Amino acid sequence: MQIYNTMTRKKEELVPLVPGQISMYACGPTVYNYFHIGNARPFIVFDTLRRYLEYRGYHVRFVQNFTDIDDKMIRRANEEGTTVKELGERFIKEYYQDADALGVRRATVNPRATEHINEIIRLVQTLIEKGHAYATPDGDVYFSVRSFPGYGKLSGQNIDDLENGARVDPDEAKRDPLDFALWKAEKPGEPSWDSPWGKGRPGWHIECSAMSMSILGETFDIHGGGQDLIFPHHENEIAQSEAATGRPFARYWMHNGYINVDNQKMSKSLGNFFTVREIAQEFDLEAVRMFMLCVQYRNPVNFSRELIQQAESALERLHTAKERLAEAQTAPAETEEDAAFSAQLDEFKTRFCDAMDDDLNTADALGVLFDFARSSNTFVSEPRGKATLEKARALYGELTGVLGLLQHEKSEEFPREALTLLEERQTARKAKNFSRADAIRDELKDMGYAVEDTANGPKLKKL
RNA sequence: GGCGCCAUAGCCAAGCGGUAAGGCAGAGGUCUGCAAAACCUUCAUCCCCGGUCCGAUUCCGGGUGGCGCCUCCA
């Protein structure tokens, strides 16, 4: 499989450190609020990558952290009159609720920064010992950017250019404007932990280094996140980690593009964001996943309700094909047409994998799935061989499953009232009382159900 | 100022050297009591100007128009 590596700015063959295994880390949410559609993209992208790698037979260890201690957490907790810990607990739960609905599987491990304070302190200590970091009299610890020769290699930034644009906060006792905090001394009312430099809390960048390396090792395969993390977050992670261990940190860096609103990046600071929670009130979140997968992950994509509706309609087509395949009639024997379709199935699988192998081209892979759906819809218009049908069902399930789609059945529980009406309508139809039948259909429509007359009899469908 | 991305039909979006996948919407048709679903047909020459090449949407150069990072941000 080829993946685009931000470090080399090229597509590269993915060759795992340990054959047959992939270790990957993706930056997770800061749990101070509901996450928005833009935040959801990396969750969906890296979940899809993980699913595909597993489909290809890799044993994947996938780590996605929760940042549960930082400035935003503290501010929000104060506003809410709660503790940072309680705030974190709450929004971790909320995260899971939304992520589950988006079809995002639980990571192998979801470490929390506050559960890795010891590792963080050890890492900071190592950096001080090796001369890459220094403590100030106030009890802050900074990373010395100029002590790490490779600084800027991920973002393509020249250290002197950065220097010119760097901001200096007069409160900070940095030796160099580019230096960044590894450890922040306690301020009144803030959560803190004991450390060799006095009470304090970790800086943001060091959390990810400590968590990723303590779980996946000093060198691991893939590190992912949104493009806005390239600088400074990931650049800083590399500097800290490689300065501390003297070994390469992540081997492949993957970054997803933004979700835009009217061509502008969806972000908290611009205020042009939609939380996943609020969109969930209008749409099945599976449509949001579909919407994201319609675009290759590195490209930006505009968000709008209209586009979610388009994705919803497209998804409906995929659902229908699955149902038709499930309900297909079985023929007494396999025929040549079965054999031909079976061969086509093999092609779909190959084409699907070719698309995914090309830097996770989900848009192309979806194209294959729609071709599959069309062929399958035609194929099941008459009874077919059992073995072929089963092969088709299995493959369709596998491939949609790799994309995390069609994972939950649309709720097929209809109220007794609606089912009674459906029966009445059928009786009326048999009696050729079509005006009565149509009246009932309208009635059902008002209740939120569509009626479809299929070869297997009438069916209800949620609108 | 430094670094980088993007421009394909009404909308979304693949392709990236040999005359444009797929989806949504639209049009016509088949099926249906009528619908719905499904199926068939139909719907683009790829921002502009140069260059390379037998041949460019695809490579190179220059424009134009969007966007991002360099500060918390997925």
Side-chain angles (χ1 to χ4, degrees), chain A residues 163-180:
Chain A
E163 185 90 64
N164 291 332
R167 290 188 184 182
V168 186
D169 185 334
D171 287 346
E172 294 174 325
K174 292 179 184 179
R175 292 180 190 167
D176 186 294
L178 289 178
D179 293 351
F180 56 89

Side-chain angles (χ1 to χ4, degrees), chain A residues 98-149:
Chain A
D98 290 336
D100 289 350
L102 286 167
V104 173
R105 285 174 53 203
R106 303 292 171 104
T108 316
V109 187
N110 282 128
R112 304 178 190 191
T114 56
E115 292 171 348
H116 289 265
I117 299 293
N118 289 339
E119 286 91 333
I120 291 167
I121 289 173
R122 270 204 299 278
L123 192 53
V124 174
Q125 252 175 325
T126 303
L127 286 168
I128 291 175
E129 283 160 19
K130 293 198 172 184
H132 287 109
Y134 55 91
T136 68
D138 293 339
D140 293 320
V141 182
Y142 290 100
F143 183 85
S144 172
V145 165
R146 289 198 182 263
S147 76
F148 182 71

Side-chain angles (χ1 to χ4, degrees), chain A residues 243-258:
Chain A
T245 67
R247 317 170 79 122
F249 184 49
R251 304 172 60 242
Y252 301 89
W253 287 88
M254 295 178 73
H255 293 96
N256 61 274
Y258 301 124

Side-chain angles (χ1 to χ4, degrees), chain A residues 298-428:
Chain A
R298 282 189 290 122
N299 294 145
V301 48
N302 263 307
F303 172 85
S304 72
R305 287 182 166 80
E306 189 196 342
L307 292 173
I308 301 296
Q309 275 158 14
Q310 285 192 11
E312 197 173 43
S313 300
L315 191 57
E316 183 60 29
R317 185 172 168 74
L318 255 24
H319 269 291
T320 305
K322 182 185 180 183
E323 279 168 27
R324 289 171 59 101
L325 196 50
E327 292 164 4
Q329 307 282 314
T330 306
E334 300 282 327
T335 65
E336 279 177 29
E337 283 172 312
D338 288 313
F341 185 63
S342 178
Q344 243 194 321
L345 292 176
D346 297 334
E347 280 173 36
F348 290 139
K349 178 168 174 171
T350 303
R351 284 174 54 208
F352 180 90
C353 290
D354 285 349
M356 295 295 275
D357 279 344
D358 182 17
D359 196 27
L360 211 70
N361 193 336
T362 53
D364 210 5
L366 272 169
V368 177
L369 243 33
F370 282 106
D371 287 344
F372 191 160
R374 165 162 290 143
S375 296
S376 169
N377 283 334
T378 304
F379 184 68
V380 300
S381 61
E382 47 190 280
R384 298 296 183 182
K386 192 177 177 198
T388 305
L389 284 174
E390 273 170 13
K391 178 175 171 181
R393 288 172 189 138
L395 185 64
Y396 197 78
E398 273 172 26
L399 301 186
T400 53
V402 165
L403 297 182
L405 298 173
L406 275 44
Q407 296 302 286
H408 57 91
E409 299 300 322
K410 292 221 155 180
S411 66
E412 293 294 352
E413 285 173 28
F414 300 104
R416 184 177 306 269
E417 203 187 353
L419 292 170
T420 307
L421 280 171
L422 189 67
E423 271 176 46
E424 260 181 61
R425 173 172 170 279
Q426 195 57 358
T427 309

